[in-house]
Amino acid sequence: MTEATLTTESAVLADAATRTNTRKVFIKTYGCQMNVYDSERMGDALTSDGYQAVDTVEAADLILINTCHIREKAAEKVYSQLGRLAKLKKQRNAEGGDLMVAVAGCVAQAEGQEIIRRAPVVDVVIGPQTYHRLPQALARARQGERVVETDFPAEDKFDGLPNTSPRAIRARGVAAFLTVQEGCDKFCTFCVVPYTRGAEVSRPVDRIVQEAQRLVDAGVREITLLGQNVNAWHGKGIDGREWGLGELIRRLAEIDGLVRIRYTTSHPRDMDDSLIAAHRDLPELMPYLHLPVQSGSDAILKSMNRRHTAEEYVRLVERIRAARPDIALSGDFIVGFPGETDADFEATMDLIREVNYAAAFSFKYSIRPGTPGAGMEDQVAESVKTERLARLQALLSEQTRAFGRQCMGKTVDLLLEKPGRNTDQLIGRSPWLQPVIVDAKVGKIGDIVSVRITETDSSSLFAEPA
Ligand code: 5AD
Ligand code: SF4
C-alpha cells in the first residue's frame, strides 16, 4: 500500500453549508487514497444524516479527523492536534456554542480507548471498518456518551452506507476512487497495516460494478480501484468462476463511458497472469503500475517477510513490460531496515538501476510498535539511514526526471481534470499519471484530448494541441 503523499483538506461535498440550522462538518483527511475515499463515504453518511460539509474549522460544529498510522509518531501528532482542538472547543463553550470532535481512521483503530483517556475533547473514536456506524455514534455522543467503535464487524460496512449522490460525485471530479479490497494478510515485518486495517476482504463483483456504473452515470471518466493489497482482490465472477483483479477490470472496461482504469497498491506476489494480460489487452487500463519492492537484497526481503526475491521481482517486471512495453513503474523503498548492510543497500541501488522507475516513494525505516521489526536486533544508525536515503533518492529523482524528459515531443492523450492555477489553463493527466498543463481552449473538463508535450519542469509537463 502507499501513502502516495496525499494529504487532502477536503470539503468532501461541494455544496458547502450556509444555512444556519444545519449541522456542519469539517473533514480533515491524512494519508493514502483509501482514506480520501473513506472520507468521501463518511461525508455521504453524514449528508444523509443532515450534515453539510464546510471547508473551515471555524464554520464547523463537528470536526472529523481521518487519521493515518503509517508514518512515524503518527499517534503523537494526532494527540497534539487534539490538544489544539481542545482549546478551540473551550473557546466555543465560552461563547455559548459547542464543538464535537470525531477521530476516524488507522490511529483511531490502533489507539481506541486510549484516545478517549488522553483527549477529553474527543466525542467519537471510529475505526476504518465501522464508519457506517458514524451517524449512530454521533447521536449517542450527543446524548453525552463518549463512543469507541473499533471492532472488525461481520457486516459489510459498504452495505450500511448510503450511495453517493450524483451531485456529490460530480463535485468530486471526473477521476474517482473506488475501494474494492481492504486489509492485508501479508504481514510485512515493518508494517502496521495488517493490525490497523485487519484481514483482507474483497468486495463482491456486483457491488463494485454497480458503484462504478453510478460513478460513470454521474460523469466520471476514470476510476482508480483501491485496496491495501488491491491485486489480492478475488471474488465470484458473473460467470460463476473465481475471478481475480484482471477479470474484474475486464468487466469494468465494458462500462460505456469509463475510459480509464487504474489500481493501487499491488504486491508483487499477487501479480497474476490474468492481470498482466489485462495490461496487454485493455486500452482502458492505464500503463502505470505502483509495485513496491522495498529492498533489492534477498536477505532483507526475507527478513521483511516480503515472500519473494529480488530476481523474482525483476523477472516479474520483465513479464509486465513484455505485455505492455510503455508501462511506467513506481515503487516504495525502505532504507535502513534492521540488519541492512552496505552490500544489502547496494543491492537495492542495483535493482533500481535495473528496473528504472518513473516515480517512487522512499523512506527511512522507523519502528512501528507492535510489529516484528520493532523487536529486531541490528537496528541501523540514523546517520547511516540518512546517508543511504539521500543516495537512493538522488538516483530515483534522476530516473523520474529522465522519464519526464523522455515524454518531450510525444503526442499523448490527456484526461482534462481540473482548472489550472491560471484561469486560461486546465490540468490534465497523461496515461502515466503525470499532471500536464494545457491551454483551456483545448477542451472541457472530462474530455480526452490529444496533445503534444512541449516543456517540462520538475513536477509538471506543459503541452499544446497535437
Ligand atoms: N518504516 C518506514 N517505511 C515504512 N513503510 C511502511 N512501514 C514503514 C516503516 N515502519 C513504507 C513502505 C510502504 C509505504 C506505504 O510506507 O514502503 O510501502
Ligand atoms: Fe503493509 Fe506489506 Fe500489507 Fe503492504 S503488503 S500493507 S507493506 S503488510
Side-chain angles (χ1 to χ4, degrees), residues 1 184-188 190-194 228-229 267 294 306:
M1 57 91 52
C184 182
D185 294 342
K186 292 285 187 296
F187 290 92
C188 299
F190 52 81
C191 185
V192 286
V193 167
Q228 259 92 32
N229 229 315
H267 191 287
Q294 315 292 358
R306 291 291 294 179

Side-chain angles (χ1 to χ4, degrees), residues 207-224:
R207 302 292 153 79
I208 296 168
V209 172
Q210 279 161 19
E211 188 169 332
Q213 186 68 59
R214 266 200 310 276
L215 290 170
V216 172
D217 290 345
V220 164
R221 313 295 312 277
E222 171 178 307
I223 293 180
T224 302

Side-chain angles (χ1 to χ4, degrees), residues 303 337-340 372-380:
S303 170
F337 188 75
E340 187 185 73
M376 287 182 184
E377 288 169 9
D378 298 331
Q379 297 285 336
V380 174

